[in-house]
Each structure stands twice: as C-alpha cells, then as structure tokens.
Amino acid sequence: MLCAAWPQIEGSLASTRRVAELFLEGFHGNYGALTRPSWIARWTGLAENHCVVAASNVQGGASEQAIEAWLCALTAFEVARRLADDSVPENANVSAKVDASMQTFTPLLHELERVRIVGCEQGEFHSYYLSAARPGLCAPAVICISNEDETEATLLARLLPVVIGRSTSILVVAHSSISNDWPGQSELILSCCFDYLSARPDVDATRIGVYGEGWSAVLATNFALAERRVAAAVCDGGLWNWARTQAFNDWMMNATSAIDESTLSRRRSRLARQLKCPVLVVAGGRGMVSVPEAIKLEADCAEAGVDLELAMPRMTRTSVGEFENFVAADECIFEWLGRKLTRRSAL
C-alpha cells in the first residue's frame, strides 16, 4: 500500500507527514525491491526537492508557501535520519543537510528567536524560542529538552513541523546545557529557563510545561518535583529513581527476601504522587522507561487518583533494530500538552 501512496505525496505538510507516518509504520527492513540505503536516498531526495521548492517560493516572495515546503523537507529529512542511524555513513550526510536547511530557512520564521538564558551559576547558554502568541494575547509554553545525544537544533528541526500552527510556544534547550554531575544543578538551570519564559510578555506564566526525551525525561521529572509552578510534564514519572532505589534495596537485602506487589506499588508510585501537575510518561521508543513498569505505574497512579497518562510510540521491528513512528508520537505528545495546558487556564 505504501508504494501506491508514495506518488500521491503533495506539497502540503499534512500529506508529507501522513505518508511518513504510513512509511514508518509499514517499514520492515527492505520494503519491496528497495534496500534501506535506497530508502534513505529516496527520503533525502524528497527533502531536497522540497528545499528547492522552498527556495523558489522565497525568490517569488511567497513566504508562507516557502515555510510549508521547508517543513515538508524537515519531516522527510527526519525519516531519512531515523533510517540512517549511527551505524551507516549516510547519517552524517543527512544531518549536514538538515543543518544547512535550518541556516537557510529559519530567517523566514519571524516567531523564532535565538535567545540567551542567563542567571545560572555555570554561565549563560543559548536556546531556541518559538512564539505561538497572537498580538495582545499570552500563550502557554513548554521547555523542550533534547535527548542526550542531540543538540537543540536537531530537536527543533523535528518539532517545527508539529508545533507550528498550534497555540503553544516552545523553548528548545540541549541536554548538554542543563545536565550536570552534582544533584540539584539541573533543576536550578531549568528554573532559569522557567524564569525566562515567565518574564516574557507573550507567555502565560501559569501555563508552562516541561518535556524531556531519553535521559532528559528524568531531568524533567526532577524539575517538576522541585518547581511547583510547572503546569504539565512529559517525563519518566519517577521510574528511574524508583529503579535505583529498588536496585539498592535488592542489594542491601541480597535478594533473599521477596517483596510483595503492594509494597512495590507503593514504592513505584511514591514519586509520582509528589508530582502536582498532570504527567505523561512515554514508554518504549525514544523513552528510557520500560513498557511493563510504565503500565504498572499508570495502574498505581489511577488507583491513587494521580493524573498520569501513558504513551507508547508505535515501533517497527527490523533486522537492524527498531524504528519509532515519530510522526504519530510527536502528535500525541503535543496534543496532550495542548489539552492539559488549555485546561490549566480554565482553573
């Protein structure tokens, strides 16, 4: 079915993202007669074609059409990047093309700023801010923290196609900018990010959330625990801290005494109950949370009346690993954030 759908890709962002979603859901190592490198080349070529269209629209003064074509390119580049993992040489080539397109077309987004976050003990650092506010109105905002092996620009390139047009602003920061060795410093740095957003006239300070990927999900949990002003959190729900505590307990007890499930449930949900904002835990895929533990945590929190939901990105297994359907996953995450932050405004 995908081969039939491929020629129907249009210039619209919705069409490109729909075909990308179908492709990732149906990819199984080799698709039809094409090998994995062939698919990487095909998606990269599609992205480059969209960049050509975007450049042509810029020359013709059609900035809105140029932006949409570029967002199509970013989506196609991200599919190629998912296929071209670190084990294949195409990875660096795709990443370089993404960086080049970002440098060429980000000036078209007048709502996008390169901003400095100051006031932190380790000094200032830069991040990206995309405003969704309309004139005279404030919008909710989300601090988005990249995975540990990604820059803020890489995360921004993936998020732009899903967040533009929504009513939520984003501040995109790199994991390396906020991760530190000693306890508590990451929370202080993220507090600087929160204070920066709170001081902006286009941000509703009562509707600021946090979203962390991979190990950054742990940082997002710790920040939501430390900063009671956080209105919603996409994080690990405290499962990493629970796992460390459980491993320590097992070591102390030499695993000689069995612990009943009710005790485990209480320990598992202890940190989650301390979170005073709605929580979305992403299990599997880009998340570092295991699906079984996340399911148990969700059940524990439901029983305790904690507002915690679980998202499990669709995965496609291949002979060389798994691919996450990032299109569907990102839509799910930002729909959840938009819903929770909108409800927050009505309280």
Side-chain angles (χ1 to χ4, degrees):
M1 293 180 62
L2 178 61
C3 291
W6 180 273
Q8 299 174 12
I9 294 180
E10 302 168 354
S12 71
L13 179 60
S15 173
T16 301
R17 291 185 68 79
R18 177 57 179 161
V19 173
E21 181 178 359
L22 290 173
F23 173 81
L24 291 169
E25 189 165 341
F27 187 84
H28 293 285
N30 294 333
Y31 197 96
L34 294 180
T35 63
R36 187 180 180 196
S38 297
W39 278 117
I40 295 171
R42 190 163 188 176
W43 278 99
T44 302
L46 176 64
E48 291 175 324
N49 289 339
H50 280 304
C51 286
V52 170
V53 173
S56 176
N57 284 326
V58 169
Q59 293 179 352
S63 59
E64 291 186 7
Q65 291 86 341
I67 291 172
E68 181 161 20
W70 174 49
L71 297 178
C72 291
L74 290 179
T75 299
F77 275 135
E78 184 64 22
V79 175
R81 198 174 72 88
R82 297 286 168 137
L83 297 176
D85 60 24
D86 293 338
S87 64
V88 295
E90 291 87 352
N91 181 277
N93 182 45
V94 174
S95 297
K97 291 180 183 295
V98 172
D99 291 342
S101 76
M102 293 287 285
Q103 294 177 14
T104 300
F105 297 110
T106 49
L108 295 175
L109 296 176
H110 302 300
E111 304 87 355
L112 181 66
E113 303 175 42
R114 185 69 166 156
V115 300
R116 290 188 308 149
I117 306 298
V118 298
C120 304
E121 293 183 2
Q122 88 290 357
E124 65 183 40
F125 63 93
H126 289 84
S127 61
Y128 288 100
Y129 175 73
L130 179 72
S131 177
R134 292 172 296 188
L137 296 176
C138 294
V142 179
I143 303 170
C144 303
I145 316 166
S146 77
N147 207 329
E148 58 273 12
D149 57 355
E150 292 182 341
T151 66
E152 69 272 26
T154 301
L155 178 58
L156 177 68
R158 198 192 83 228
L159 294 185
L160 281 175
V162 73
V163 299
I164 285 183
R166 295 181 184 268
S167 59
T168 303
S169 303
I170 58 171
L171 179 71
V172 183
V173 300
H175 176 91
S176 59
S177 295
I178 63 171
S179 60
N180 284 274
D181 293 331
W182 58 272
Q185 189 167 11
S186 293
E187 291 92 286
L188 290 175
I189 297 172
L190 285 170
S191 290
C192 293
C193 297
F194 197 104
D195 292 340
Y196 168 81
L197 289 174
S198 298
R200 289 192 64 105
D202 58 345
V203 171
D204 184 342
T206 67
R207 295 188 288 160
I208 299 176
V210 61
Y211 162 34
E213 290 198 345
W215 285 108
S216 295
V218 180
L219 302 181
T221 296
N222 293 338
F223 179 58
L225 287 168
E227 179 54 78
R228 296 302 176 144
R229 295 177 295 172
V230 173
V234 181
C235 59
D236 82 326
L239 279 177
W240 171 243
N241 286 323
W242 175 84
R244 287 195 304 174
T245 301
Q246 187 59 36
F248 176 76
N249 289 341
D250 290 345
W251 177 76
M252 289 291 293
M253 299 174 65
N254 294 318
T256 57
S257 302
I259 302 178
D260 62 89
E261 179 57 34
S262 62
T263 301
L264 289 176
S265 295
R266 286 196 299 272
R267 292 178 179 177
R268 190 164 40 235
S269 59
R270 185 175 298 151
L271 272 179
R273 289 198 302 269
Q274 295 176 23
L275 291 163
K276 301 305 179 183
C277 65
V279 172
L280 179 68
V281 174
V282 180
R286 78 191 65 160
M288 48 77 65
V289 175
S290 72
V291 172
E293 285 304 329
I295 292 174
K296 293 174 184 176
L297 177 65
E298 183 183 39
D300 296 341
C301 289
E303 185 176 351
V306 177
D307 188 356
L308 183 145
E309 298 179 38
L310 176 62
M312 292 183 288
R314 296 199 295 271
M315 304 295 297
T316 297
R317 291 179 173 83
T318 74
S319 59
V320 292
E322 292 184 325
F323 295 117
E324 178 191 77
N325 196 327
F326 73 91
V327 178
D330 289 343
E331 290 289 339
C332 171
I333 289 170
F334 279 91
E335 284 177 6
W336 182 88
L337 283 166
R339 185 169 69 251
K340 292 300 181 179
L341 294 176
T342 298
R343 289 180 179 178
R344 179 85 177 190
S345 66
L347 297 179

